[in-house]
Amino acid sequence: MTQCCINPSILSADFANLEAELHRISNADAVHVDVMDNHFVPNLTLGLPIVKRLQEISPIPLDAHLMIADPDRWAPAYAEAGLASVTFHAEAALAPIKLARELRARGAKAGMALRPATAVEPYLDMLEELDMLLIMTVEPGFGGQAFLDNTLPKIRRARAAIDGSGLGLALQVDGGVTEETILRAADAGATVFVAGSAVYGAEDPAEAVTRLRAAGSR
Ligand code: DX5
Ligand code: ZN
């Protein structure tokens, strides 16, 4: 059995107590940090100064999900801040290959995200530039939305392409992940799961991480 990764999203945490909230999920694989700019998505969260500080105090690695316009310009600074992984959106990047290389050159894992209606096929020839592919299972912008089952065929196709390529990139899903929906996403081939409300909405977030990890491992 291969153990999956559970990356809780601090979007559902108490923004006034982020340090304590990080320690509540210290058994997780990484903390997923949702950066939103009110342009690429209709919501605004936090930016580089706060992410830098989180990087300094977090007991576990940071996994940034940049839901921002012009990641070509803004994403490299997140890698420079020492984050383990930086994910930009394919729909927003002008030069995704160049950007992925810049992230890797700065020591971060390079991730690329696809909105639910963005096909994976146009990007299959650039998988070798990536350490992680993120398939959104809700429209990005808000926590607490329902998992979109019509993203499952894309997860399966991405899994087949990754396995066929012999590359070791991680397949992450984000949005609406619960103890129930994680079963379908894992069966389809996802191995890294972001969960916001399912973790921080639970009475014991660490226990929720453990339960999700058991449900999502194959
Ligand atoms: C949505 C964010 C997600 C969100 C997930 O735009 O990218 O990371 O926090 O929240 P849940 O798990 O509640 O759907
Ligand atoms: Zn996210």
Side-chain angles (χ1 to χ4, degrees):
M1 195 184 75
T2 316
Q3 198 169 280
C4 69
C5 294
I6 304 297
N7 297 2
S9 164
I10 50 160
L11 188 58
S12 300
D14 178 358
F15 273 12
N17 293 287
L18 286 176
E19 185 167 20
E21 293 286 71
L22 288 175
H23 282 93
R24 291 173 84 199
I25 52 137
S26 58
N27 62 331
D29 296 276
V31 56
H32 183 84
V33 181
D34 286 307
V35 175
M36 305 187 189
D37 67 350
N38 225 2
H39 292 273
F40 182 71
V41 289
N43 196 5
L44 186 66
T45 54
L46 40 79
L48 190 59
I50 294 177
V51 174
K52 274 186 175 164
R53 192 67 192 116
L54 293 174
Q55 167 67 23
E56 287 169 4
I57 58 134
S58 178
I60 55 175
L62 261 62
D63 161 36
H65 176 195
L66 306 181
M67 284 161 275
I68 60 172
D70 203 1
D72 307 70
R73 176 174 176 190
W74 301 111
Y78 289 83
E80 243 155 53
L83 272 66
S85 131
V86 178
T87 297
F88 60 88
H89 265 268
E91 304 86 354
L94 285 178
I97 294 174
K98 178 169 178 266
L99 179 53
R101 288 182 181 182
E102 283 181 19
L103 296 175
R104 280 177 161 179
R106 286 163 175 77
K109 288 186 175 162
M112 190 177 74
L114 304 175
R115 298 182 75 124
T118 302
V120 69
E121 281 72 18
Y123 300 99
L124 292 182
D125 289 337
M126 65 165 286
L127 289 184
E128 64 190 9
E129 307 288 343
L130 300 172
D131 300 292
M132 185 166 78
L133 183 67
L134 165 53
I135 294 186
M136 291 303 298
T137 43
V138 299
E139 287 294 350
F142 300 92
Q145 304 180 77
F147 184 89
L148 293 171
D149 275 290
N150 53 17
T151 59
L152 290 169
K154 180 165 59 176
I155 299 169
R156 276 188 223 107
R157 292 198 302 275
R159 168 49 59 200
I162 290 168
D163 289 351
S165 71
L167 299 164
L169 67 165
L171 184 53
Q172 184 179 76
V173 293
D174 180 11
V177 171
T178 65
E179 270 187 75
E180 188 237 335
T181 60
I182 198 172
L183 301 173
R184 301 199 284 281
D187 287 343
T191 52
V192 182
F193 302 92
V194 176
S197 39
V199 170
Y200 279 109
E203 208 163 297
D204 182 343
E207 194 193 305
V209 168
T210 303
R211 283 202 310 265
L212 286 166
R213 194 180 276 134
S217 294
R218 290 291 176 271

